[in-house]
């Protein structure tokens, strides 16, 4: 009985919903086209992403070809076949520190380190370079000088000068070996260009003299009638500072005489705490050492 009721309910529902439908007559061409369009519109297109909210891809414009920069012409480094001289690049120093710096850098790239050192030195002694340019040049000189042999390896051809010191007799004995050591330091600073002889002249003993002992220094040519620098004095406060005091005074003497007797750029005064040996080595160029010593070897001026 229950089965009959279920079949009756199902049959009634089916008949009620399908009694108006025609299952035997084929659909018309228009109906089929409608169905086809509706089905195709529900399917994803092959030229679009499945994401319905994605923005359609925009075709990119072709990238422009890369700009090829023409290489800058190489700097003329001059004649690299002839032996360099101390005066090298002095003739182009009017072109300024920037030009000499570029030249020195180019020479270093070519492995011409001796010529590069000369170009760096011309910035120091023949241009009106600013502080930054001078600092760069001196830094390069410090880097290159220790890697190169002395400029003059023939002591017989070195220019002779004398380092004179006058002091009290009690100080003379202690001063002599230190002054001789400073003389060797100056020869090294000049790269063998200058030969320095040290002489100490003791003064008369004074029983009343008290306090630090004064020392007077000067530099001169090898003869009694040779030109000489001015004389500068300092007092010996401690034996430990004697060598440094001598070197500071010598730097002042060299600097002052370069300003009076030559046309080269005068080195700046020593900075507070600056090593005077380093200043003599790297801030006084080899050409300036040569010109300084040569000025002390000029013939004496005849009286009119």
């Amino acid at each position: 009985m229950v089965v009959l009721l279920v079949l009756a309910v199902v049959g009634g529902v089916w008949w009620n919903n399908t009694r108006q439908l025609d299952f035997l007559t084929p659909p018309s061409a228009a109906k089929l086209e409608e169905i086809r369009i509706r089905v195709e519109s529900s399917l994803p297109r092959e030229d679009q992403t499945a994401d319905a909210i994605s923005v359609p891809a925009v075709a990119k414009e072709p990238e422009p070809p890369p700009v090829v920069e023409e290489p800058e012409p190489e700097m003329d480094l001059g004649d690299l076949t002839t032996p360099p001289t101390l005066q090298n690049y002095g003739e182009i120093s009017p072109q300024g520190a920037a030009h000499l710096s570029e030249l020195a850098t180019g020479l270093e790239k070519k492995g011409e380190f001796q010529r590069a050192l000369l170009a760096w030195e011309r910035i120091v002694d023949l241009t009106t370079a600013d502080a930054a340019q001078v600092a760069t040049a001196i830094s390069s000189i410090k880097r290159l000088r220790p890697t190169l042999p002395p400029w003059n390896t023939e002591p017989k051809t070195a220019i002779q000068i004398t380092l004179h010191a006058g002091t009290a007799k009690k100080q003379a004995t202690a001063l002599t070996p230190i002054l001789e050591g400073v003389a060797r330091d100056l020869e090294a600073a000049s790269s063998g260009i200058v030969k320095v002889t040290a002489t100490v002249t003791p003064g008369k003993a004074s029983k009343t003299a008290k306090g630090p002992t004064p020392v007077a220094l000067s530099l001169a040519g090898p003869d009694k009638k040779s030109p000489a620098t001015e004389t500068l004095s300092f007092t010996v406060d401690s034996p430990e500072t004697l060598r440094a005091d001598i070197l500071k005074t010598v730097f002042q003497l060299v600097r002052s005489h370069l300003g009076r007797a030559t046309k080269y750029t005068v080195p700046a005064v020593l900075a507070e705490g600056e090593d005077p040996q380093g200043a003599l080595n790297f801030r006084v160029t080899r050409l300036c050492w040569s010109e300084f010593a040569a000025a002390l070897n000029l013939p004496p001026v005849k009286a009119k």
Side-chain angles (χ1 to χ4, degrees):
M1 187 66 180
V2 174
V3 173
L4 293 175
L5 287 175
V6 171
L7 293 174
V9 170
V10 173
V13 172
W14 181 83
W15 181 82
N16 184 59
N17 287 285
T18 61
R19 59 191 173 88
Q20 296 179 348
L21 300 178
D22 185 1
F23 292 102
L24 300 177
T25 304
S28 64
K31 189 66 175 179
L32 290 174
E33 180 64 19
E34 179 186 347
I35 295 171
R36 184 186 64 77
I37 292 174
R38 185 169 63 250
V39 171
E40 286 183 353
S41 63
S42 66
L43 298 175
R45 293 174 56 181
E46 294 183 358
D47 59 345
Q48 292 183 347
T49 60
D51 186 357
I53 63 172
S54 296
V55 178
V58 179
K60 294 183 178 180
E61 296 182 1
E63 295 184 0
V67 178
V68 179
E69 296 183 0
E70 295 185 4
E72 295 184 3
E74 290 189 7
M75 186 177 192
D76 181 10
L77 302 180
D79 183 5
L80 303 180
T81 61
T82 58
T85 68
L86 276 179
Q87 293 78 18
N88 269 158
Y89 311 118
E91 72 282 359
I92 63 172
S93 61
Q95 297 185 47
H99 179 77
L100 284 167
S101 177
E102 184 181 356
L103 173 63
T105 302
L107 288 167
E108 286 197 49
K109 290 180 180 178
K110 286 285 188 180
E112 295 286 343
F113 301 112
Q114 187 68 264
R115 297 178 194 274
L117 177 56
L118 289 164
W120 288 120
E121 287 180 323
R122 292 300 80 79
I123 294 174
V124 175
D125 60 27
L126 275 180
T127 71
T128 54
D130 59 35
Q133 291 170 325
V134 172
T136 299
I138 291 175
S139 175
S140 300
I141 293 169
K142 288 181 178 179
R143 173 170 50 80
L144 291 175
R145 268 281 300 263
T147 68
L148 298 172
W151 182 265
N152 180 37
T153 57
E154 295 291 337
K156 292 182 180 180
T157 64
I159 307 172
Q160 303 282 332
I161 63 173
T162 303
L163 175 59
H164 293 282
T167 189
K169 189 174 183 179
K170 64 177 182 179
Q171 181 70 34
T173 302
L175 178 62
T176 298
I178 296 175
L179 198 71
E180 290 175 347
V182 168
R184 304 290 80 75
D185 293 336
L186 299 182
E187 292 173 356
S190 74
S191 198
I193 294 167
V194 177
K195 172 65 178 176
V196 185
T197 301
T199 64
V200 178
T201 303
K204 294 181 179 179
S206 175
K207 296 180 180 180
T208 60
K210 296 181 180 180
T213 304
V215 175
L217 290 179
S218 65
L219 288 154
D223 303 323
K224 290 183 178 181
K225 294 183 179 181
S226 296
T229 67
E230 62 185 320
T231 299
L232 295 178
S233 299
F234 64 92
T235 55
V236 181
D237 297 320
S238 168
E240 287 75 19
T241 63
L242 181 55
R243 177 179 175 275
D245 291 335
I246 293 173
L247 288 169
K248 288 178 184 178
T249 306
V250 168
F251 180 81
Q252 294 173 16
L253 291 170
V254 173
R255 177 180 180 275
S256 176
H257 201 71
L258 283 172
R260 291 200 315 271
T262 74
K263 295 182 179 180
Y264 293 93
T265 304
V266 179
V269 297
L270 288 172
E272 184 68 28
E274 183 179 0
D275 175 25
Q277 180 68 67
L280 289 164
N281 285 351
F282 307 118
R283 295 216 280 117
V284 180
T285 66
R286 296 169 297 173
L287 178 56
C288 279
W289 274 113
S290 178
E291 294 295 328
F292 169 78
L296 296 181
N297 277 265
L298 293 174
V301 178
K302 294 181 180 181
K304 294 182 180 180

